[in-house]
């Protein structure tokens, strides 16, 4: 079946007693068992029954199963935030003494997670320009736990050659972990380009309306974990095999011990979001491409950055990987930081807010917000400029958004 059909026909783990067409929200912390043996089987993983809502909840499990069905993954874990998904993905493959080779153009908190939080646990951070495959390859050694990058960086909008990175990673026996939040899995199949693990902030496209925070961790089962240097993953290989070791560690250790499973309330809202994900994405991305082209003609805008524009340096690679609509976000450069602030303050239709891919269009000044606690030198190194405004495009009429931009320049 095609994506649109498959996402709407995923069956429940158990039939609903009342035949509900929408998965009910299970507002419960615990579940009753028919016997002591059934309880033991649930807690020890010998059955699919949920043992406790911190570890699994039927509403959350249904969201995971829907995503698993449409992506072809072997395992999906729904967590409370996109940052939790990144944290779990990198923690699952790491151990003291290992290193992570990551893009130096990551979202600000992803940088601090790898450099500071994981660094304090004895995991070395090695940052590289992921548009330069040779630079990435030079940093890989026998203790490299993973390569981690964003398929289109935020807010620089740089595009890496995913297949080339996958070839380098796999030749060295290293998994490739991709943050694919910018283009949803309805339009881009990360597995086809060699990504082993996908992390997604489901707060964005899937939620659609910013109704709740969530993250997804998608394991394609393509990496042979028997060759990985993590002792914890080696132990899982012996129990569940070389393809399922990653998801086994996430589900049986990290979810249980760290406690960031997605709540059933958010899982329900995101399940509804999946129903219209592809429709919303195409409308938003089509508006984004049209707006970016219009902005190229406006006086006062120094530069328009969107990889769907024919004159963008990443256009050919972006089109080959993501098609003609590479997401619903673009940036404009104005003459100065003051001009950027003045533009944002004048907006009437586009909202002054963080987040991406809400149904409402949003504007933010990345250098003073998301990257506001980094030094000027660090921002320059990451390519985050004072004159840049990031625009996330929603479902408003394109002409109204353009009029708002024109009036605010």
């Amino acid at each position: 079946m095609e994506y649109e059909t498959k996402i709407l026909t995923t069956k429940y783990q158990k039939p609903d007693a009342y035949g509900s067409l929408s998965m009910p929200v299970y507002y419960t912390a615990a579940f009753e068992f028919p016997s002591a043996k059934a309880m033991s089987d649930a807690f020890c993983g010998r059955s699919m029954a949920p043992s406790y809502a911190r570890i699994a909840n039927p509403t959350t499990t249904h969201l995971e199963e829907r995503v698993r069905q449409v992506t072809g993954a072997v395992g999906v874990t729904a967590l409370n935030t996109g940052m939790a998904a990144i944290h779990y993905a990198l923690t699952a493959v790491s151990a003291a003494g290992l290193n992570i080779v990551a893009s130096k153009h990551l979202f600000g908190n992803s940088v601090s997670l790898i450099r500071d939080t994981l660094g304090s646990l004895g995991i070395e951070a090695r940052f590289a320009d992921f548009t330069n495959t040779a630079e990435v390859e030079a940093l890989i050694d026998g203790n490299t736990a993973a390569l981690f990058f964003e398929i289109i960086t935020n807010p620089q909008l740089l595009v890496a050659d995913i297949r080339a990175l996958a070839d380098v990673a796999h030749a060295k026996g290293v998994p490739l972990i991709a943050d694919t939040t910018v283009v949803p899995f309805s339009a881009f199949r990360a597995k086809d380009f060699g990504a082993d693990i996908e992390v997604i902030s489901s707060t964005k496209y899937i939620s659609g309306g910013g109704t709740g925070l969530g993250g997804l961790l998608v394991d394609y089962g393509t990496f042979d974990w028997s060759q990985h240097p993590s002792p914890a993953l080696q132990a899982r290989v012996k129990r569940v095999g070389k393809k399922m070791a990653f998801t086994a560690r996430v589900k049986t250790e990290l979810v249980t011990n760290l406690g960031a499973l997605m709540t059933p309330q958010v899982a329900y809202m995101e399940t509804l979001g999946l129903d219209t994900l592809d429709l919303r994405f195409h409308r938003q991305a089509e508006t984004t491409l049209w707006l970016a082209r219009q902005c190229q003609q406006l006086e006062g805008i120094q530069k328009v950055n969107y990889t769907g524009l024919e004159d963008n340096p990443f256009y050919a690679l972006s089109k080959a990987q993501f098609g003609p609509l590479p997401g619903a976000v673009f940036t404009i450069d104005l003459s100065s930081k003051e001009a950027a602030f003045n533009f944002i303050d004048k907006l009437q239709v586009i909202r002054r807010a963080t987040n991406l891919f809400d149904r409402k269009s949003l504007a933010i000044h990345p250098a003073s917000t998301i990257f506001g606690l980094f030094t000027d030198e660090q921002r320059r190194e990451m390519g985050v400029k004072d004159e840049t405004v990031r625009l996330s495009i929603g479902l408003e009429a394109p002409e109204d958004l353009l009029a708002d931009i024109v009036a605010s320049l």
Side-chain angles (χ1 to χ4, degrees):
M1 288 185 280
E2 296 297 324
Y3 171 87
E4 297 89 341
T5 306
K6 189 177 288 187
I7 201 69
L8 292 166
T9 55
T10 303
K11 295 185 183 210
Y12 302 157
Q13 190 176 17
K14 289 185 177 182
D16 179 67
Y18 297 95
S20 173
L21 287 178
S22 293
M23 165 59 75
V25 182
Y26 283 84
Y27 288 100
T28 184
F31 305 89
E32 185 176 9
F33 296 92
S35 67
K37 183 179 183 307
M39 186 181 294
S40 175
D41 288 343
F43 273 82
C44 295
R46 292 188 294 269
S47 78
M48 295 298 292
S51 57
Y52 186 61
R54 174 168 54 81
I55 301 167
N57 178 286
T59 312
T60 306
T61 298
H62 181 59
L63 172 67
E64 294 172 339
E65 180 60 18
R66 292 186 89 190
V67 173
R68 193 188 70 79
Q69 290 280 354
V70 297
T71 59
V74 298
V76 175
T77 307
L79 300 163
N80 274 336
T81 65
M83 282 305 304
I86 296 171
H87 180 200
Y88 277 40
L90 298 180
T91 301
V93 300
S94 297
L98 301 185
N99 64 77
I100 295 168
V101 178
S103 169
K104 68 178 183 180
H105 300 112
L106 294 174
F107 171 71
N109 290 118
S110 298
V111 172
S112 58
L113 168 68
I114 298 168
R115 183 191 62 199
D116 303 330
T117 308
L118 297 181
S120 69
L121 302 176
I123 300 161
E124 181 188 356
R126 298 180 178 180
F127 292 103
D129 180 355
F130 268 55
T131 66
N132 184 338
T133 307
E135 183 179 325
V136 174
E137 184 174 12
L139 294 179
I140 301 172
D141 62 23
N143 289 322
T144 299
L147 301 188
F148 177 65
F149 73 111
E150 297 169 2
I151 58 170
I152 302 179
T153 67
N154 169 25
Q156 307 91 344
L157 303 185
L158 307 176
V159 180
D161 186 329
I162 303 169
R163 173 50 64 187
L165 289 172
D167 289 344
V168 165
H170 296 156
K172 301 275 190 179
V174 175
L176 184 65
I177 303 178
D179 183 333
T180 64
T181 299
V182 174
V183 184
F185 47 68
S186 64
F188 168 67
R189 292 182 59 85
K191 179 182 178 182
D192 291 348
F193 291 88
D196 300 297
I197 305 295
E198 187 173 4
V199 295
I200 303 164
S201 173
S202 56
T203 309
K204 312 300 192 292
Y205 285 119
I206 295 174
S207 168
T211 53
L213 298 172
L216 296 172
L217 190 46
V218 182
D219 176 7
Y220 286 108
T222 52
F223 189 75
D224 179 358
W225 297 102
S226 66
Q227 58 183 313
H228 195 273
S230 164
L233 286 170
Q234 290 300 318
R236 265 72 183 185
V237 168
K238 292 176 181 176
R239 294 181 207 167
V240 299
K242 61 186 181 181
K243 288 189 176 182
M244 291 300 296
F246 176 87
T247 289
R249 187 177 189 198
V250 170
K251 295 279 193 185
T252 63
E253 179 186 340
L254 302 185
V255 169
T256 303
N257 294 349
L258 299 180
L261 187 73
M262 183 183 287
T263 65
Q265 297 89 338
V266 170
Y268 174 78
M269 296 301 294
E270 295 199 352
T271 297
L272 296 182
L274 283 175
D275 292 349
T276 59
L277 168 62
D278 199 51
L279 289 172
R280 286 184 286 104
F281 166 72
H282 279 91
R283 167 63 186 271
Q284 289 172 264
E286 286 166 0
T287 299
T288 301
L289 178 57
W290 182 82
L291 269 180
R293 285 174 173 161
Q294 299 304 309
C295 284
Q296 286 183 308
Q297 313 304 317
L298 298 179
E299 290 186 16
I301 295 179
Q302 310 293 312
K303 178 183 178 182
V304 178
N305 189 7
Y306 182 61
T307 66
L309 295 172
E310 289 81 357
D311 61 353
N312 188 282
F314 294 104
Y315 174 74
L317 179 59
S318 176
K319 186 175 182 181
Q321 294 181 156
F322 315 119
L325 299 172
V329 62
F330 73 102
T331 66
I332 57 174
D333 286 358
L334 303 180
S335 60
S336 64
K337 177 180 178 180
E338 291 71 27
F341 271 44
N342 187 51
F343 170 80
I344 291 172
D345 288 347
K346 286 182 178 179
L347 293 170
Q348 297 296 311
V349 177
I350 301 173
R351 314 298 180 93
R352 289 172 287 277
T354 189
N355 202 12
L356 289 168
F357 318 128
D358 195 310
R359 289 190 286 268
K360 305 174 187 68
S361 293
L362 311 173
I364 194 170
H365 182 253
S368 65
T369 54
I370 301 166
F371 296 87
L373 297 179
F374 289 83
T375 67
D376 290 343
E377 182 179 353
Q378 287 172 328
R379 285 194 293 270
R380 281 194 298 271
E381 177 68 17
M382 291 186 284
V384 179
K385 299 181 291 184
D386 279 344
E387 59 268 28
T388 299
V389 175
R390 188 188 76 186
L391 297 169
S392 171
I393 303 306
L395 294 173
E396 302 92 344
E399 296 78 8
D400 292 332
L401 294 173
L402 179 59
D404 195 31
I405 291 170
V406 171
S408 301
L409 287 171

